[in-house]
């Protein structure tokens, strides 16, 4: 009996239990601290949105500003506080009071910053508590003397414990590549828009003014509105996940294109406001950007103006705006989890809409899609069942030409009259006599929500591993030649078979290491990249390229390296060094 090994296991188990106990106590203290901020009101919501716009736009508005390392870390950490902050200050019931406008001052800015930072600490603490429970992270509590020499400081040191730690970065790197590709392809149109901007820059400058030393006031023209609509269309094209629903899919009684038209108009309004704010920031350097970026407008005025601008029915615009607005009605849908609520509009009273910019800049589609899924569940799942056909059309285009023979119809693999599994897509390389079989999973995009990640990862990995096993078993019994025949492909002899598992956005998830290595696993963006960069390579070479790309992405994963406090507990994730106890 290996008593030394058992003793080490017991020690590690005790360390993990101690780490969880300390972190959970810190989370209780953190929630208690934030309870003092839970005073939902339109005033607090407006100032919080101003602070969020500051977090996401400061570098754009002040590109030459020197930022100290402590401030950079503070601001970076604070970006994780969106959901906990909004959940605590957006009113659960709307009042009919008139909007109270006010300048953002140093005192209230400091309070908003502290609030959002502590919300971020709670968000990250909850995430790491989940990762500790799942064994994605290991934890060790260390005690160090406090800098002032009075008492000790408890530090929870967290380090990756699984090779799949932060594997979502693999899929995200693919999505970033896809966005960069669209941006590069649109560079000619972007240059034309930049030329139009230069021609109208003088007119823009004459149309904006600062009222009372802090309020933004501007006017517009059809030419200016048309310009920013063109910018919005170009900008939104590069944001991922919008293809979850096709523009002609019906949801909520109207085609998805109608929602996109409204979202484009909102993006154009935001782009225009940011442009005017930048002019005023250059003209009045002393004015804080929080007084320039976030705005508000009467709800009825906004709805009627938007309906007139889009030549649409007012009632339809009101209905569509419900799915683009964070309010008491959908607050839980968008903020109860950890998927950041990129809200284009926030409603905190009956008569006024608050207009932040950060959501429209980062990814308003994620907000819109999450809302439509919650409101129109039956439509959503009908669309989900139909979207695979669009994906098949896309992958067929990647194998165009006489060298390739494709099968885009779902093929059932049967044995003794019973369906064992199916093939979503197949392609034969006539040059090498290689046959590729595909399992394709189009799941909802996930970020850092633990529940969504666990569900998506478990379903994706288990179902795909089962598919790999079943297909290989069927091939062992019936042979690759029989499968080639059932697919209707040309007889070039018995083909060499390769299996591919494709996830639309992710094929690798933190906490899920057990990918069956008999198949190649890839997200769609990495697959597109490999095919488009080397279209003449064989299927075996494609498999090798994809494995190399995934390995490279995994080897360059940065993960997070953070130091912050959760309650009275200091938390150090991935520290490069830490003093001995």
């Amino acid at each position: 009996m290996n008593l030394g090994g058992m003793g080490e296991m017991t020690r590690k188990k005790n360390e993990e239990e101690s780490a969880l106990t300390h972190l959970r106590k810190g989370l209780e203290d953190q929630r208690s601290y934030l309870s003092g901020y839970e005073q939902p009101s339109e005033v607090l919501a407006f100032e919080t949105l101003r602070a969020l716009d500051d977090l996401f736009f400061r570098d754009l508005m002040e590109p030459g500003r020197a930022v100290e390392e402590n401030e950079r870390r503070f601001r970076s950490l604070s970006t994780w506080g969106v959901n906990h902050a909004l959940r605590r200050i957006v009113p659960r019931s709307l009042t009919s009071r008139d909007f109270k406008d006010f300048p953002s001052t140093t005192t209230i800015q400091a309070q908003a910053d502290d609030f959002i930072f502590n919300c971020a600490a709670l968000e990250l603490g909850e995430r790491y508590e989940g990762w500790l429970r799942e064994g994605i992270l290991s934890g060790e509590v260390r005690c160090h003397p406090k800098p002032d020499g009075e008492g000790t400081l408890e530090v929870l040191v967290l380090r990756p414990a699984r090779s799949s730690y932060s594997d979502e970065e693999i899929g995200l790197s693919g999505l970033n590549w896809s966005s960069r590709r669209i941006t590069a392809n649109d560079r000619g149109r972007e240059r034309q828009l930049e030329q139009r901007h230069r021609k109208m820059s003088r007119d823009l400058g004459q149309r904006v003014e600062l009222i009372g030393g802090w309020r933004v006031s501007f006017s517009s023209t059809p030419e200016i509105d048309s310009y920013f609509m063109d910018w919005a269309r170009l900008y939104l094209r590069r944001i991922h996940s919008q293809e979850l629903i096709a523009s002609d899919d019906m949801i909520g009684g109207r085609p998805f294109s109608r929602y996109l038209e409204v979202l484009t108009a909102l993006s154009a309004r935001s782009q225009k406001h940011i442009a005017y704010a930048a002019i005023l920031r250059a003209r009045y350097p002393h004015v804080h950007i929080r007084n320039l970026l976030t705005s508000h407008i009467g709800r009825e005025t906004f709805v009627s103006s938007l309906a007139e601008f889009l030549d649409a029915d007012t009632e339809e615009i009101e209905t569509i705006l419900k799915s683009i607005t964070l309010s008491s009605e959908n607050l839980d849908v968008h903020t109860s989890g950890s998927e950041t609520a990129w809200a284009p509009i926030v409603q905190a009273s009956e008569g006024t809409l608050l207009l932040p910019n950060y959501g429209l800049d980062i990814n308003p589609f994620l907000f819109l899609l999450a809302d439509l899924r919650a409101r129109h569940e039956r439509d959503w799942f009908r669309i989900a069942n139909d979207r695979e056909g669009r994906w098949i059309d896309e992958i067929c285009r990647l194998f165009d030409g006489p060298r390739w023979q494709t099968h885009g119809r779902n093929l059932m693999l049967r044995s003794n009259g019973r369906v064992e599994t199916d093939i979503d897509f197949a392609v034969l390389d006539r040059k090498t006599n290689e046959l590729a079989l595909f399992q394709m999973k189009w799941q909802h995009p996930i970020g850092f929500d633990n529940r969504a990640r666990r569900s998506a990862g478990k379903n994706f990995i288990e179902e795909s591993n089962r598919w790999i096993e079943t297909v290989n078993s069927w091939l062992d019994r019936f042979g690759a030649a029989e499968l080639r025949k059932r697919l209707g492909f040309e007889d070039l002899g018995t083909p060499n078979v390769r299996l591919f598992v494709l996830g639309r956005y992710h094929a690798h998830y933190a906490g899920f290491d057990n990918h069956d290595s008999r198949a190649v696993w890839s997200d769609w963006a990495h697959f597109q990249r490999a095919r488009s960069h080397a279209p003449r390579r064989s299927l075996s070479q494609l498999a090798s390229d994809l494995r190399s790309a995934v390995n490279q992405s995994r080897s360059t994963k940065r993960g997070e390296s953070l130091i912050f406090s959760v309650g009275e507990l200091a938390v150090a994730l991935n520290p490069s060094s830490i003093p001995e106890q």
Side-chain angles (χ1 to χ4, degrees):
M1 181 180 297
N2 186 352
L3 296 178
M6 292 180 63
E8 178 64 18
M9 290 175 60
T10 300
R11 185 187 66 80
K12 291 294 293 181
K13 182 180 179 180
N14 290 338
E15 278 187 357
E16 300 302 320
E17 289 179 352
S18 175
L20 275 170
T21 299
H22 279 76
L23 183 51
R24 286 166 179 165
K25 175 60 169 61
L27 289 171
E28 289 179 9
D29 294 341
Q30 192 71 15
R31 295 187 186 103
S32 176
Y33 176 80
L34 285 170
S35 64
Y37 280 102
E38 293 183 21
Q39 302 174 32
S41 71
E42 188 171 53
V43 169
L44 290 180
F46 189 47
E47 188 60 32
T48 300
L49 292 173
R50 283 169 158 175
L52 293 175
D53 272 349
D54 183 340
L55 281 174
F56 290 99
F57 281 92
R58 177 71 69 89
D59 291 343
L60 175 68
M61 299 294 288
E62 301 176 0
R65 188 175 72 97
V67 181
E68 294 183 359
E69 183 63 17
N70 285 343
E71 181 186 356
R72 185 194 65 78
R73 290 180 178 177
F74 180 89
R75 293 176 65 82
S76 178
L77 275 168
S78 295
T79 59
W80 294 109
V82 175
N83 283 19
H84 273 297
L86 294 176
R87 184 153 67 241
R88 283 165 169 76
I89 50 81
V90 173
R92 295 279 176 171
S93 59
L94 303 181
T95 66
S96 57
R97 298 173 185 170
D98 291 338
F99 182 78
K100 180 181 178 181
D101 207 354
F102 59 96
S104 180
T105 63
T106 302
T107 300
I108 57 178
Q109 287 170 15
Q111 293 171 346
D113 291 345
D114 178 77
F115 171 53
I116 294 173
F117 179 81
N118 278 281
C119 285
L122 177 58
E123 170 66 37
L124 292 171
E126 290 175 339
R127 181 188 307 167
Y128 300 151
E129 191 272 343
W131 288 3
L132 267 174
R133 277 189 287 107
E134 294 181 57
I136 298 172
L137 293 175
S138 63
E140 176 189 0
V141 178
R142 296 187 179 187
C143 295
H144 300 273
K146 289 185 176 181
D148 58 12
E150 296 185 8
T152 59
L153 175 68
E154 290 183 324
V155 180
L156 173 59
V157 181
L158 299 173
R159 299 188 187 278
R162 302 275 287 272
S163 62
S164 60
Y165 164 74
S166 203
D167 258 4
E168 287 79 12
E169 286 190 25
I170 297 172
L172 290 175
S173 70
L175 293 174
N176 290 336
W177 167 81
S178 181
S179 178
R180 291 194 302 271
R181 183 179 66 162
I182 295 171
T183 302
N185 290 339
D186 287 344
R187 187 63 186 121
R189 295 171 60 190
E190 191 171 325
R191 280 194 290 266
Q192 293 175 354
L193 286 170
E194 289 169 350
Q195 291 174 359
R196 286 172 62 185
H197 191 110
R198 285 192 290 270
K199 290 179 180 178
M200 65 173 59
S201 60
R202 184 176 180 181
D203 187 27
L204 290 173
Q206 292 174 342
R207 290 182 173 278
V208 62
E209 59 181 328
L210 196 66
I211 305 297
W214 59 277
R215 283 196 191 95
V216 179
S217 176
F218 59 82
S219 61
S220 189
T221 66
E223 180 188 8
I224 291 173
D225 291 341
S226 174
Y227 163 75
F228 283 106
M229 279 292 285
D230 289 343
W231 247 124
R233 294 187 186 99
L234 197 69
Y235 184 76
L236 291 175
R237 272 172 44 82
R238 65 189 65 165
I239 298 178
H240 71 80
S241 300
Q242 57 187 289
E243 78 280 6
L244 262 173
I245 304 180
S247 61
D248 58 350
D249 280 336
M250 297 294 292
I251 187 163
R254 57 184 53 80
F256 186 55
S257 59
R258 296 297 290 158
Y259 297 91
L260 296 180
E261 289 171 9
V262 173
L263 196 60
T264 303
L266 296 181
S267 179
R269 182 216 62 81
S270 175
Q271 299 264 9
K272 179 169 62 177
H273 187 96
I274 292 168
Y276 281 130
I279 293 171
L280 291 179
R281 187 68 180 82
R283 190 180 298 169
Y284 305 103
H286 65 280
V287 178
H288 201 284
I289 64 171
R290 296 192 194 191
N291 287 312
L292 301 177
L293 285 173
T294 317
S295 57
H296 60 87
I297 191 171
R299 189 186 68 82
E300 291 185 2
T301 299
F302 186 77
V303 170
S304 60
S305 298
L306 186 58
E308 181 180 358
F309 180 72
L310 294 175
D311 192 22
D313 179 72
T314 301
E315 185 176 340
E316 182 185 29
I317 294 298
E318 284 190 327
T319 301
I320 291 174
L321 283 177
K322 288 182 179 179
S323 290
I324 305 177
T325 302
L326 181 68
S327 67
S328 57
E329 180 182 348
N330 58 8
L331 187 61
D332 289 335
V333 169
H334 294 287
T335 65
S336 60
S338 297
E339 298 292 353
T340 302
W342 304 115
I345 301 172
V346 175
Q347 184 173 9
S349 70
E350 289 184 357
T352 304
L353 299 178
L354 308 180
L355 304 175
N357 299 287
Y358 74 94
L360 288 160
D361 184 67
I362 304 295
N363 196 325
F365 296 107
L366 293 179
F367 186 94
L368 172 60
L369 292 167
D371 201 273
L372 291 176
R373 184 178 187 177
R375 289 180 188 273
H376 309 292
E377 192 173 31
R378 182 176 296 180
D379 287 346
W380 181 271
F381 286 108
R382 171 183 49 78
I383 291 168
N385 291 332
D386 296 340
R387 69 168 63 108
E388 187 177 286
R390 290 192 283 123
W391 197 0
I392 296 297
D393 291 340
E394 290 181 80
I395 196 170
C396 280
R397 289 194 290 271
L398 291 179
F399 292 99
D400 192 23
R403 175 176 175 176
W404 310 100
Q405 191 170 3
T406 60
H407 187 283
R409 301 181 308 279
N410 187 272
L411 176 70
M412 300 294 182
L413 295 186
R414 304 176 187 272
S415 176
N416 298 322
R418 181 177 65 87
V419 175
E420 294 191 3
T421 189
D422 62 352
I423 307 296
D424 292 328
F425 176 75
V427 58
L428 176 70
D429 185 345
R430 288 189 172 106
K431 184 177 180 179
T432 63
N433 194 27
E434 292 176 308
L435 173 62
L437 309 177
F438 289 82
Q439 168 87 327
M440 302 167 71
K441 295 287 188 182
W442 195 331
Q443 295 177 304
H444 195 78
I446 62 118
F448 290 93
D449 184 85
N450 275 337
R451 186 183 306 168
R453 172 189 53 78
R454 284 195 302 269
S455 176
K458 183 177 186 294
N459 292 336
F460 183 78
I461 302 300
E462 289 184 357
E463 291 177 11
S464 298
N465 280 343
R466 188 161 51 247
W467 177 82
I468 294 166
E469 175 60 33
T470 305
V471 170
N472 276 292
S473 173
W474 193 96
L475 288 170
D476 288 342
R477 285 175 283 139
F478 297 97
E482 175 63 21
L483 179 56
R484 176 203 54 74
K485 180 180 177 181
R486 295 194 186 190
L487 288 166
F489 286 164
E490 182 180 350
D491 187 359
L492 301 172
T494 301
N496 293 318
V497 177
R498 297 193 176 275
L499 305 186
F500 291 79
V501 174
L502 296 185
R504 184 69 186 193
Y505 304 112
H506 295 277
H508 301 85
Y509 298 86
F512 296 92
D513 307 80
N514 55 329
H515 297 72
D516 190 323
S517 61
R518 291 175 293 178
V520 178
W521 300 68
S522 175
D523 57 84
W524 176 234
H526 274 101
F527 188 87
Q528 283 182 298
R529 186 177 189 178
R531 278 294 300 155
S532 59
H533 282 190
R536 296 182 179 181
R537 288 174 69 77
S538 67
L539 293 172
S540 58
Q541 290 171 325
L542 172 63
S544 177
D545 293 344
L546 286 170
R547 285 194 168 107
S548 296
V550 169
N551 289 335
Q552 182 179 3
S553 292
R554 181 172 280 129
S555 67
T556 57
K557 282 190 306 185
R558 294 174 302 166
E560 297 169 295
S561 182
L562 306 172
I563 299 178
F564 61 101
S565 293
V566 180
E568 296 297 319
L569 179 69
V571 177
L573 174 68
N574 275 332
S576 56
S577 64
I578 190 165
E580 293 299 322
Q581 301 185 71

